[in-house]
Amino acid sequence: MFVLTKEIITEYLKKHMPGLDYSKPLVISAIGEGTEEEDGDGYLNFIYRVSDGKCNLVLKQGRSEGRVAGFTDLSPERNRLEYESMELRKAITPEYIPELYFFDAKNRIFATEDVSYLQISRFQLNKSVMFPDLAKHAAAFLAKMHFYTSDYYLDTETFRNLKMHFNNHKMRSIFDDMVFVSHAYGEEGEGFELREELDPYIRNIVLDPAVILERYKMRDIYMNKAEALIHGDFHTSNIFIGQGLMKVIDMEYAFCGPAAFDIGYLESHLLSQFVCAAFRDYETEDKKKEFQAYILATMQQLFNDYCKNFFIYWNEDAKKIYQGIDGLQDSVKKNLLKDMIGFCSTSNLFRCTSIIDYPEYDALEDPVKRRHAVVLSTLMDRRMILNREKYETVEDFIDEMLQMEKIYMKDFYHQA
């Protein structure tokens, strides 16, 4: 395996993509050289954009070290599993996957379409840009992928083989403890360390024994509930959108796990947008409320459309053993809701309070506003994870978010 660099990409591609136009120099750039809005916020991979003026592609190499310091002993095997995951998803949801060009197993390199003609949804949402079709597309992608890689559809042997093939232990281990376990700043422990400047404000929330217990319950579900081939890192940095289209990237965390994790992980990033919008500067209060209403509507539609699509596929294509069982779909939906809320709150708690960067909160330049956003978010996370068994509908969950934001802004923030 050799190390791919900008200097050797042209000669490398001549062997693997001879159909490109080499009559003039290829335009080559490395991810990380551009702005975060252009390149995203990925930590792990060495990625290059290449264009001959007509064909625009991305080269991604899986190495044992990450692009950013601190990520070592990574499995280059993740590159193969990611490409195979994309091939499978391309067969099921072709409209949402970039074009796939080749995989070089020896050097752990693959090439796909460059979808940067669309926009990374995260950094547009940070500027309060609204995408009306985000929930519709995300729900359609997840529901179809989850159903057609689940035991509801696949024969049992195929499903079990899928679980074994996409075990992806090395990449999963990055999430196993980090998302679900915390310790205070300056203390030793598993999981993530609370951010120093936030520790006095959030310590008692994050380290509340009741919260710890629920987070461990969510860890148990994450570790042991293998329902479908999930994306594993489905958030707004990995969703390119615009022009009525959506493309999904970065599937190196794919494994057979709980379907609710994909939904909840995206919902956590939408929750962060709702909270941070409360502290952003807008031309008018109406503009702020419009964006916040859009985020809540997107969260609601994401879950409801997912369920609607999933059960359409169930009614059409589920194995006979799952057909006609009164109450089974209702039970599946109820469990999905409580697990989705648990993963939403757990994931958001991890990102907004840990030493890991979180672009939504980091975009708030005023440290007082940023601290308030994290405290409000942490309070919401605590309420949601403790009450996740009590919500009957996604609307109940969203209504509580809205009420908590109103109370905090009225009774705490404006008195600060």
Side-chain angles (χ1 to χ4, degrees), residues 259-397:
F261 184 77
D262 276 348
I263 312 170
Y265 204 55
L266 180 55
E267 293 277 24
S268 74
H269 287 71
L270 294 171
L271 182 152
S272 71
Q273 289 290 346
F274 173 77
V275 172
C276 289
F279 302 95
R280 291 179 194 152
D281 295 325
Y282 288 83
E283 293 178 7
T284 66
E285 187 68 15
D286 286 344
K287 290 287 187 183
K288 174 186 291 189
K289 294 304 180 186
E290 180 186 12
F291 181 73
Q292 287 188 300
Y294 156 75
I295 291 295
L296 294 181
T298 299
M299 295 180 71
Q300 177 180 338
Q301 184 184 355
L302 173 62
F303 181 80
N304 286 335
D305 278 11
Y306 175 94
C307 292
K308 179 183 71 175
N309 293 333
F310 190 89
F311 292 126
I312 287 173
Y313 300 134
W314 180 316
N315 293 334
E316 292 176 350
D317 290 330
K319 294 186 296 193
K320 186 176 180 180
I321 193 172
Y322 288 114
Q323 297 284 9
I325 309 300
D326 290 342
L328 182 56
Q329 290 187 4
D330 289 339
S331 175
V332 169
K333 184 176 180 179
K334 183 176 181 180
N335 287 329
L336 185 73
L337 176 65
K338 69 178 182 179
D339 289 351
M340 179 274 286
I341 293 170
F343 285 127
C344 173
S345 56
T346 306
S347 301
N348 194 61
L349 192 68
F350 148 60
R351 286 302 298 266
C352 74
T353 64
S354 76
I355 57 175
I356 303 294
D357 294 338
Y358 203 169
E360 286 80 351
Y361 297 88
D362 296 340
L364 294 170
E365 296 181 0
D366 184 329
V368 174
K369 289 183 177 182
R370 185 165 61 248
R371 188 187 72 228
H372 274 291
V374 171
V375 171
L376 172 56
S377 185
T378 306
L379 288 168
M380 284 185 176
D381 295 331
R382 180 185 184 278
R383 176 73 63 86
M384 290 185 301
I385 200 167
L386 295 182
N387 288 345
R388 65 191 181 89
E389 302 270 359
K390 300 177 182 179
Y391 299 111
E392 295 293 330
T393 65
V394 69
E395 288 77 16
D396 293 341
F397 156 63

Side-chain angles (χ1 to χ4, degrees), residues 21 39 52 68 90 100 127 149 187 209 213 357 391 415:
D21 182 1
D39 290 347
D52 67 355
V68 175
K90 190 71 173 173
L100 308 179
K127 296 188 293 186
T149 59
E187 294 180 358
L213 174 60
D357 294 338
Y391 299 111
Q415 294 180 10

Side-chain angles (χ1 to χ4, degrees), residues 40-41 65 298 401:
D41 58 329
E65 77 284 358
T298 299
M401 282 177 54

Side-chain angles (χ1 to χ4, degrees), residues 1-4 45-46 60-63 79 107-109:
M1 173 178 169
F2 68 85
V3 173
L4 191 66
N45 295 291
F46 295 86
K60 184 173 184 178
Q61 184 173 40
R63 304 181 196 170
N79 188 266
N107 295 297
R108 293 294 188 264
I109 298 169

